[in-house]
Amino acid sequence: MSDIELPQIYLITPPEIELSSFPDQLAAVLDTADIACVRLALATRDEDRLSRAADALREVTHARDVAIVIDAHVILAERLGLDGVHLTDGARSVAKTRKDLGKDAIVGAFCSASSHEGMSAAENGADYVSFGPVGTTPLGDGTLAEQDLFEWWSQMIEVPVVAEGALDVDIIAKLSPFTDFFGIGEEIWRTDDPASKLKDLQAAFSA
């Protein structure tokens, strides 16, 4: 990644959304910032709720030429006309998913803090690899994706990398030279003005 290329925003939905209001919220953010991709990352495993959310958000994103992927649900990604899937099991199902969805679908893989998983995912056809969390959070087992992982990746691997999980301005400024995307979600959705908060975070991209 050259010094003049700033990271892009990879927007992650909250784990729960109100279908009556969230599509408008998302639209407002997409209209004020340049977003590379949106990930539908709902906690529910209810097929009907996932499908209705996907339909609503696909309309918002595709109207703005923004790609949308869904967490883990490969069959739903295809059935609902989404652009791809974000796999949450490291490299394990990348090759099969690539085969199932074809070469044009977006296939991403979350690899926690494991460079080995990341390399395997990249070799198996992932379009991007995501590492995280990069900030301290009480969730998970306390494992952090450290700066040196992103530095190494940016020097050695061509597949784009996403930094996500408990981001703040300081972490963004540190990782900016070494990451292609910042996966931003709860950091903005839990505020009163997500678009404004996103601008604050984005200001650190060039720091």
Side-chain angles (χ1 to χ4, degrees):
M1 201 175 184
S2 72
D3 292 338
I4 55 169
E5 276 186 350
L6 294 180
Q8 293 178 278
I9 300 166
Y10 175 99
L11 203 59
I12 304 165
T13 70
E16 292 184 22
I17 61 173
E18 286 291 337
L19 263 186
S20 57
S21 57
F22 185 74
D24 290 337
Q25 255 192 319
L26 177 62
V29 171
L30 295 183
D31 287 340
T32 55
D34 193 12
I35 307 293
C37 184
V38 172
R39 183 204 306 167
L40 180 59
L42 300 188
T44 182
R45 298 185 67 79
D46 182 286
E47 182 188 339
D48 181 58
R49 286 179 67 192
L50 282 167
S51 297
R52 284 188 294 121
D55 283 341
L57 300 194
R58 186 190 65 242
E59 276 189 32
V60 172
T61 55
H62 283 185
R64 291 158 177 80
D65 288 326
V66 175
I68 180 168
V69 300
I70 190 171
D71 256 1
H73 303 292
V74 178
I75 292 170
L76 287 184
E78 196 165 31
R79 186 185 301 160
L80 298 170
L82 307 182
D83 298 289
V85 67
H86 173 83
L87 301 170
T88 53
D89 59 352
R92 199 166 308 140
S93 49
V94 171
K96 181 181 185 304
T97 302
R98 171 59 69 206
K99 187 163 173 280
D100 290 346
L101 294 184
K103 66 181 192 325
D104 293 331
I106 298 170
V107 177
F110 177 72
C111 296
S112 186
S114 169
S115 59
H116 175 72
E117 280 290 318
M119 283 193 296
S120 298
E123 285 164 8
N124 287 335
D127 291 297
Y128 69 82
V129 166
S130 168
F131 293 121
V134 292
T136 306
T137 168
L139 305 177
D141 63 1
T143 301
L144 285 185
E146 304 281 0
Q147 180 175 328
D148 57 2
L149 171 58
F150 291 91
E151 287 189 41
W152 174 84
W153 188 275
S154 71
Q155 290 165 1
M156 304 298 292
I157 312 291
E158 287 190 9
V159 170
V161 64
V162 180
E164 67 173 88
L167 289 161
D168 61 28
V169 167
D170 291 339
I171 293 169
I172 285 172
K174 277 187 206 151
L175 292 181
S176 267
F178 313 112
T179 191
D180 300 286
F181 300 92
F182 282 111
I184 296 172
E186 290 288 277
E187 294 90 348
I188 66 167
W189 300 123
R190 59 173 176 246
T191 69
D192 292 334
D193 188 346
S196 175
K197 178 63 176 178
L198 184 58
K199 275 188 182 156
D200 292 344
L201 294 175
Q202 198 173 8
F205 282 19
S206 55

